[in-house]
Amino acid sequence: MRYRNEPLVTPLAAQAWIAVLVIILGLAGGVRVAAEPIDRIVAIVDDDVVMQSEFDRFKERILQQMSQREGQMPPEDIINRQVLERLVMAKIQLQYAKRAGVTVDDDTLNKAVASVAAQNKLSLEQFREVLAKEGYDYAQYREDIRNEITLARLKQREVDNRVTVSDREVDSYLQNPRNQGTAGDTEYRISHILIATPEGATPDQIAAAQREAEEVREQIRNGADFAKLAAEHSDSQQALEGGDVGWRKAGEVPSVMADALRNMKAGEVSEVMRGPSGFHIIKLADVRTKDSHMVTQTHARHILVKTSEAVSQDDARRKLEQLKTRLDGGDDFAALARSHSEDRGSAANGGDLGWINPGEMDPDFENAMKALEPNQISEPFQTQFGWHIVQVLERREHDDSAEAQRAKARETIRQRKIEEELQAWMRRLRDEAYVEYRMPGVAVTRVEEPGKAATEPASPAATEEPSAEATPASPAATEEPAAETAPASPAAAEEPATETAPAASDAQQIPATEPAGSEEGSPYVVGDPGAP
C-alpha cells in the first residue's frame, strides 16, 4: 500500500526518467540539447597523446604573444603546425625524462611556485587569486611548473653536464685575432630561420632543404617580412616568435653564424648558410658592447680555527682572542698563521689568500674583510668554516685582466657547444620518436622507432578517441597570466647545479653555475618564451 503523500517514484528515479525523456525528445527534434564538447586526440607521441584541449590552450597563449608584436599574422595552418610540433617535442622529452628517472618532488615544486609568486611581489594566496581571476586552474599550473623544471633538469643532465671545455680550446679561442679583446664583450640581437635536415639526410633531402632556404632568402631580398617567413618556414623552436632568439654573444652561436655576424651591420640579413642541423638564415637586429668594469680587489691573510666535538665554539673563539692579543703586541701574523691556522690551503703561505675579487669568499668572511682598512686586523668572527681573524694588507682597483678574460672565453665556448649539442640531441629524439598527427589540415608525419616496421599499427593510446569524461587530458600547456602579473619562469627558482672545483681556501666559496633554463619553446614555460 502506498501512502497518499509518498511520491510515485524516488527523486533519483525521477531524474533518470527526465534524462531519458529529454534525450528522446531531443532526438525527435522537440528539444535542442547543448552537448558538452568532446576532447579528442590530435597527435600520438610514442606512448602518450596530445589532446585538443592542450593544443587549444597553448595556441591561445601563442596567439596572445603574437598579437603583441608588429607584423602580419602567419596563416592559421602554419600556426597549427608549429604549435603542435612544440607540444610533440615537449611530450617526447617528458617521456624521455620519465624513462631516465628525472623527477621533481613536491618540496622542490612548492619552492618553485613560491619563488614565482615572490618574484611577482605576491604572497602565495594572492598569486592563487590572480590565477583564479584569469581562469587558470592552480593544480594544472603546478603541473606545468613541474614539467618545466623537469625539462630544465633533463637538459642539464643530457646536454649541459656533458659539455666540457679544455684549456687548449680556451687558448685557441684567445689566440684567434677575431676574439682578442672581445671575449664575450660584444652581443648581437639575432633573428633566425632554420630549414632543418634530418639526421643522416639523403642528398635529395639536403637539396630540397637548400632549395627552400634559397627561396626564402629570395623572398627576403624582395622585401618580404623576416618574422612572417620565420613563422611559416622555420623549423627552429622560435619560429612563432618571428625567429627572435634575443641577445647572444658571437661565441654562443654555431661557428658558421658567428663568422657571418662579425661582417654584418645592424639590419642586414645573411645569405643561406649550412650547418650540422640544416640551412640557416640570420638577421642582425642590433649590436651592443659591454663596457669593461673595474673591480676592487683585496689582498688579505687569515687564521682559521675549526670547531669539532673536541673544540667548542667558545674554545675556538677564545683561542683566536689570544692570538689577536699576541698580534696586537707585535707578533708576526705569518708565523702565527703557519703555526695555528687550520686552513691547509693558506697556512703554509702565512695565511696569505692572495688578491681576492668581490664575491669569491664566504659572505660573512667578505663582510668582515670589507670593514677593515689596510693593515687592520679583525676581531674573531664566525663563518660556516669555523672562526677567523683576518688582516687586510692592501687594496687596488683592477680591470678583469687575463683570468677574467679566460673565464669569459671558457663560458662563451661552453655556451656555443651546448647550443650545438642541444640541437643535435633534440633532432635525435625527434627522429627516434613515433609521431602521428591526427589534426585536420596538418599533414600526418610518421617516424618509426628503430626496428619497427612502417606498417606497424598505431600506438594503443590511439585505438579509441576518448571523450572528455572518459580520458583526462595530459598536462596542459601553461596558461599565461595577465601581463601586469605575469610570473617569471620558475627555472630560475630551482637551485642551480654546482660544479666541482678545488677550493683555494676554507674561506672561499665555490661559485655555482647558471641555472639551467627551460627547454626552448617549451609549452610549459611561464612568461616570455626563452631564447634558444
Side-chain angles (χ1 to χ4, degrees):
M1 177 180 295
R2 188 178 301 279
Y3 293 102
R4 181 172 182 177
N5 293 329
E6 184 179 0
L8 294 177
V9 291
T10 65
L12 184 61
Q15 292 175 12
W17 277 109
I18 291 171
V20 171
L21 288 172
V22 168
I23 293 172
I24 295 172
L25 292 173
L27 292 175
V31 176
R32 291 187 178 273
V33 180
E36 288 291 326
I38 297 177
D39 209 352
R40 65 188 185 89
I41 296 170
V42 294
I44 302 167
V45 187
D46 287 330
D47 297 325
D48 203 352
V49 295
V50 178
M51 303 301 294
Q52 182 73 50
S53 57
E54 291 181 86
F55 174 87
D56 291 341
R57 281 190 287 268
F58 186 37
K59 181 180 176 181
E60 181 180 0
R61 173 195 153 197
I62 289 294
L63 291 176
Q64 289 175 350
Q65 294 173 351
M66 295 180 73
S67 66
Q68 297 172 5
R69 295 194 301 268
E70 297 181 358
Q72 185 179 355
M73 193 80 74
E76 186 172 7
D77 62 327
I78 299 296
I79 296 174
N80 288 345
R81 177 172 60 83
Q82 295 280 10
V83 168
L84 191 54
E85 183 62 22
R86 286 198 191 181
L87 285 166
V88 164
M89 282 306 304
K91 294 285 187 180
I92 292 172
Q93 292 173 79
L94 288 171
Q95 290 181 81
Y96 186 96
K98 184 177 181 180
R99 294 194 298 270
V102 178
T103 60
V104 177
D105 58 67
D106 287 341
D107 185 54
T108 299
L109 178 62
N110 292 336
K111 290 178 180 177
V113 174
S115 178
V116 173
Q119 289 175 40
N120 288 275
K121 297 180 175 57
L122 298 170
S123 68
L124 188 58
E125 187 60 34
Q126 290 171 327
F127 187 60
R128 294 185 65 163
E129 291 175 0
V130 169
L131 291 175
K133 287 179 182 177
E134 297 298 327
Y136 303 129
D137 180 72
Y138 181 69
Q140 184 61 64
Y141 178 84
R142 283 174 55 86
E143 287 308 303
D144 293 337
I145 299 294
R146 192 193 300 273
N147 287 336
E148 182 189 347
I149 298 174
T150 299
L151 293 179
R153 287 183 170 182
L154 181 65
K155 175 178 175 289
Q156 181 84 26
R157 166 179 162 160
E158 297 297 322
V159 180
D160 297 17
N161 290 348
R162 300 187 180 188
V163 170
T164 59
V165 180
S166 67
D167 290 339
R168 180 177 297 181
E169 288 177 290
V170 175
D171 293 338
S172 177
Y173 181 93
L174 293 174
Q175 290 168 6
N176 189 325
R178 294 176 303 179
N179 300 324
Q180 290 179 3
T182 62
D185 290 336
T186 302
E187 294 184 334
Y188 303 88
R189 183 67 183 269
I190 307 167
S191 293
H192 173 226
I193 293 175
L194 167 66
I195 308 300
T197 53
E199 192 170 17
T202 66
D204 288 344
Q205 290 174 315
I206 294 171
Q210 184 172 8
R211 281 196 303 271
E212 182 179 357
E214 295 290 354
E215 291 170 0
V216 170
R217 182 63 184 90
E218 185 62 25
Q219 292 182 57
I220 295 171
R221 193 176 288 113
N222 293 332
D225 181 62
F226 189 99
K228 181 174 182 294
L229 291 175
E232 293 178 356
H233 294 274
S234 181
D235 296 310
S236 167
Q237 289 289 303
Q238 290 70 43
L240 290 176
E241 284 74 48
D244 184 10
V245 302
W247 289 98
R248 291 298 180 91
K249 299 179 180 69
E252 294 176 357
V253 299
S255 301
V256 63
M257 295 188 197
D259 293 339
L261 284 171
R262 293 187 181 93
N263 298 316
M264 293 172 63
K265 296 179 181 179
E268 291 184 344
V269 178
S270 74
E271 296 300 323
V272 175
M273 301 169 287
R274 184 177 177 184
S277 56
F279 293 89
H280 306 266
I281 304 170
I282 57 174
K283 178 180 179 179
L284 178 58
D286 201 359
V287 181
R288 67 185 182 191
T289 302
K290 293 184 178 179
D291 296 328
S292 60
H293 64 284
M294 303 296 291
V295 297
T296 301
Q297 291 185 320
T298 303
H299 185 196
R301 56 187 178 182
H302 81 134
I303 297 173
L304 168 68
V305 176
K306 296 180 179 181
T307 58
S308 64
E309 293 182 1
V311 180
S312 68
Q313 300 284 352
D314 289 339
D315 292 338
R317 178 175 49 78
R318 279 195 296 267
K319 181 176 181 179
L320 283 176
E321 287 174 345
Q322 294 169 2
L323 293 176
K324 175 65 164 54
T325 300
R326 293 175 61 180
L327 290 170
D328 291 342
D331 280 17
D332 181 61
F333 193 106
L336 291 180
R338 279 190 287 267
S339 301
H340 298 280
S341 181
E342 297 180 53
D343 179 5
R344 291 177 296 177
S346 66
N349 297 321
D352 197 334
L353 297 169
W355 287 101
I356 302 167
N357 287 319
E360 286 186 358
M361 312 303 287
D362 176 273
D364 293 325
F365 187 97
E366 186 160 340
N367 289 335
M369 185 176 65
K370 282 181 179 179
L372 301 175
E373 297 295 330
N375 296 316
Q376 186 179 359
I377 301 174
S378 74
E379 296 298 327
F381 63 93
Q382 185 181 15
T383 73
Q384 61 177 311
F385 301 104
W387 284 82
H388 311 253
I389 50 176
V390 60
Q391 181 183 29
V392 170
L393 299 175
E394 55 183 323
R395 286 194 173 92
R396 69 182 182 186
E397 295 298 313
H398 181 66
D399 202 352
D400 275 337
S401 75
E403 290 79 10
Q405 196 77 343
R406 286 186 67 84
K408 285 183 179 180
R410 186 180 298 276
E411 183 60 21
T412 296
I413 297 168
R414 182 173 179 272
Q415 290 301 323
R416 184 190 67 214
K417 294 175 76 171
I418 285 175
E419 173 68 18
E420 293 172 346
E421 177 58 29
L422 176 63
Q423 294 297 329
W425 177 71
M426 291 182 68
R427 190 170 68 250
R428 287 196 299 271
L429 285 183
R430 183 64 175 82
D431 289 347
E432 293 170 1
Y434 176 94
V435 178
E436 180 181 338
Y437 290 161
R438 289 189 163 196
M439 175 175 287
V442 176
V444 173
T445 301
R446 299 183 65 141
V447 182
E448 303 300 333
E449 295 179 2
K452 285 189 177 182
T455 57
E456 184 175 352
S459 166
T463 55
E464 183 175 353
E465 293 189 358
S467 67
E469 297 83 4
T471 302
S474 304
T478 301
E479 298 162 4
E480 194 170 85
E484 61 270 18
T485 58
S489 171
E494 187 181 5
E495 293 184 3
T498 303
E499 292 181 350
T500 303
S505 162
D506 282 324
Q508 189 170 12
Q509 63 180 9
I510 302 172
T513 61
E514 289 297 319
S518 304
E519 189 50 64
E520 291 75 7
S522 164
Y524 304 106
V525 173
V526 182
D528 292 336

